[in-house]
């Protein structure tokens, strides 16, 4: 794999550390839906699916989605044959829909170009859609027991503490990678990678690491120095900007709401939305916003706004409500109780909830 290369002092304690970690894993491994029983081979399809779902999401959130996907599409060929809209719908709530589109594209590539069998090397995996360096290493290690260097946030934290690395992230990444590579054993590298992930998730946690339970307690430089919780250091982040948008809540006299499909590319591509202006840095003036209205109507502003934070920006949406006088070709008209049948991203679900609550007639005394 091509990563900035840094060499570290060969660590004479590496074999002992790896052995201690594997022994700890044999006693304390987490039971996870995609993890094979001890001594049984992993299913590359299950490992790949779980790794894509776990990017930016927690184990607890992923569990039900993982089971649902496996029951709907038990093999990579089944997933490849599925309709993209069905996949996006099943993905709802996991966020980052580009990953779901890539997941489907990857299943098609494996089914179509590899006879339904995942490549068993990092390089082969990296050539597939949606598989980056970390995921390729994780699948190569976990599914195929390759001595790949797996480095996620958990493992970075453990390495920074074990070797007491004082360089802040992200500059520290090549150093942490070199330490991780140095420790990866030739024997049971897949179990070793999962062991360090588990240690980071359950023992070497960001706050209050439980060093007394750690198999590396006696070798860990940060623990010895008493400053584990301070590490890893992080370079100060740029503030997340706020963008503004105006959504158009068009309600037909029969109660149906207007939604439409977003363009296939870009943020939330291919998903359904309540029509809105583009999302921009300045607040919208009413006349500028109305130029983006999807239908002609008398629009009025609903109280309050809807906030949603994406990875790179925070969004504030105001909502204009109107009953259209012209409804041709503007999108899809859906009764509110049937909105759940469409692939709505979280921000749109929030908007729907806010609008329905704001328009509910007040209770009669
Ligand atoms: Fe983390 Fe503590 Fe173990 Fe060091 S001893 S690796 S700080 S849990």
């Amino acid at each position: 794999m091509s990563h900035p290369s840094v060499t570290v002092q060969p660590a004479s304690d590496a074999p002992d550390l790896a052995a201690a970690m594997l022994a700890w894993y044999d006693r304390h491994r987490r039971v996870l839906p995609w993890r094979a029983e001890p001594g049984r081979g992993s299913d590359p399809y299950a490992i790949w699916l779980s790794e894509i779902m776990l990017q930016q999401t927690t184990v607890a959130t992923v569990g039900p989605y993982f089971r649902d996907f496996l029951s709907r599409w038990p093999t990579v060929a089944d997933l490849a044959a599925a309709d993209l809209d069905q996949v996006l719908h099943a993905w709802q709530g996991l966020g980052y829909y580009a990953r779901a589109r890539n997941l489907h594209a990857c299943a098609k590539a494996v089914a179509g170009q590899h006879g339904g069998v995942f490549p068993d090397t990092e390089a082969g995996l990296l050539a597939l859609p949606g598989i980056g360096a970390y995921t390729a290493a994780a699948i190569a290690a976990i599914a195929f027991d390759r001595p790949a260097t797996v480095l996620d946030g958990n493992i970075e934290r453990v390495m920074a503490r074990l070797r007491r690395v004082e360089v802040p992230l992200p500059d520290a990444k090549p150093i942490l990678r070199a330490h991780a590579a140095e420790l990866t054993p030739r024997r049971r590298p897949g179990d070793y990678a999962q062991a360090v992930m588990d240690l980071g998730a359950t023992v070497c946690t960001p706050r209050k690491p439980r060093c007394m339970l750690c198999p590396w307690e006696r070798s860990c430089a940060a623990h010895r120095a008493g400053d584990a919780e301070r590490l890893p250091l992080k370079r100060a982040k740029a503030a997340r900007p706020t963008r503004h948008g105006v959504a158009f809540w068009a309600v037909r006299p029969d109660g149906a709401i207007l939604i439409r499909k977003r363009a296939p590319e870009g943020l939330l591509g291919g998903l359904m939305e309540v029509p809105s202006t583009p999302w921009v840095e300045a607040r919208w003036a009413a006349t500028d916003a109305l130029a983006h209205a999807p239908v002609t109507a008398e629009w009025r502003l609903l109280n309050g706004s809807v906030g949603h934070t994406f990875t790179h920006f925070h969004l504030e949406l105001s909502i204009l409500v109107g009953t259209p006088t012209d409804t041709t070709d503007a999108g899809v008209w859906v009764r509110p109780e049937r909105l759940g049948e469409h692939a709505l991203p979280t921000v749109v679900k929030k908007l729907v909830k806010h609008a329905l609550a704001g328009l509910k007639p007040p209770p009669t005394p």
Side-chain angles (χ1 to χ4, degrees):
M1 306 303 327
S2 66
H3 293 285
S5 119
V6 164
T7 44
V8 291
Q9 290 276 329
S12 58
D13 59 354
D16 291 345
L17 289 174
M21 183 58 67
L22 285 166
W24 177 83
Y25 183 68
D26 289 339
R27 287 196 306 278
H28 300 292
R29 63 202 294 284
R30 286 181 294 174
V31 175
L32 300 174
W34 45 88
R35 192 172 269 179
E37 299 285 316
R40 305 187 74 172
S42 295
D43 172 7
Y45 172 58
I47 299 302
W48 163 76
L49 189 58
S50 68
E51 285 297 336
I52 302 292
M53 288 182 166
L54 283 166
Q55 291 166 5
Q56 323 252 349
T57 314
T58 64
V59 164
T61 304
V62 163
Y65 285 90
F66 173 80
R67 290 193 197 89
D68 178 50
F69 265 64
L70 267 199
S71 75
R72 286 171 193 250
W73 303 297
T75 67
V76 70
D78 297 322
L79 183 57
D83 192 66
L84 175 60
D85 277 341
Q86 287 177 308
V87 176
L88 289 174
H89 196 265
W91 189 269
Q92 261 189 86
L94 277 177
Y96 303 95
Y97 289 88
R99 293 199 337 246
R101 285 195 298 277
N102 276 329
L103 182 92
H104 193 237
C106 184
K108 283 185 155 177
V110 172
Q113 295 156 29
H114 298 274
V117 179
F118 276 86
D120 65 357
T121 62
E122 273 184 276
L125 290 159
L126 200 52
L128 291 169
I131 298 191
Y134 162 75
T135 307
I139 300 171
I142 300 169
F144 301 111
D145 215 21
R146 299 259 182 202
T149 306
V150 184
L151 197 69
D152 67 356
N154 280 335
I155 300 180
E156 282 176 357
R157 181 169 61 254
V158 175
M159 291 301 135
R161 290 172 176 176
L162 176 71
R163 300 308 194 197
R164 202 159 176 250
V165 174
E166 293 281 350
V167 178
L169 282 166
D171 300 339
K173 275 181 190 283
I175 303 167
L176 300 175
R177 171 172 297 283
H179 285 306
E182 176 43 33
L183 286 169
T184 301
R186 310 295 299 178
R187 196 177 73 84
R188 300 178 63 193
D191 282 349
Y192 170 82
Q194 293 177 90
V196 189
M197 286 177 186
D198 279 15
L199 188 86
T202 62
V203 174
C204 194
T205 45
R207 300 270 166 80
K208 298 197 187 341
R210 299 188 296 159
C211 301
M212 275 169 56
L213 305 176
C214 178
W216 288 350
E217 184 191 5
R218 277 191 284 170
S219 309
C220 177
H223 175 60
R224 274 205 306 263
D227 63 0
E229 198 169 329
R230 188 177 60 90
L231 298 172
L233 302 179
K234 291 183 183 158
R235 221 197 288 149
K237 269 192 195 158
R240 201 183 256 134
T242 295
R243 293 191 195 165
H244 301 271
V246 179
F248 297 94
W249 186 261
V251 195
R252 253 183 359 199
D254 65 354
I257 312 294
L258 177 65
I259 59 173
R260 69 182 177 193
K261 200 169 201 166
R262 289 175 67 86
E265 301 305 327
L267 186 66
L268 309 180
L271 298 173
M272 300 307 286
E273 67 168 1
V274 172
S276 86
T277 61
W279 302 340
V280 297
E281 279 169 24
R283 286 179 192 280
W284 283 90
T287 42
D288 294 341
L290 286 176
H292 295 272
V295 286
T296 311
E298 286 286 323
W299 297 101
R300 68 182 171 85
L301 189 64
L302 194 67
N303 280 341
S305 64
V306 174
H308 186 76
T309 301
F310 294 97
T311 316
H312 299 297
F313 66 95
H314 177 77
L315 176 67
E316 280 297 326
L317 280 174
S318 316
I319 304 174
L320 291 175
V321 181
T323 300
T325 50
D326 121 50
T327 59
T328 48
D329 283 344
V332 187
W333 293 91
V334 187
R335 299 273 317 166
E337 63 274 15
R338 304 198 67 171
L339 281 167
E341 295 167 16
H342 295 266
L344 301 182
T346 307
V347 58
V348 177
K349 283 186 181 160
K350 282 187 189 174
L351 194 156
V352 167
K353 199 169 160 200
H354 182 89
L356 292 177
L359 293 169
K360 211 160 46 178
T364 42

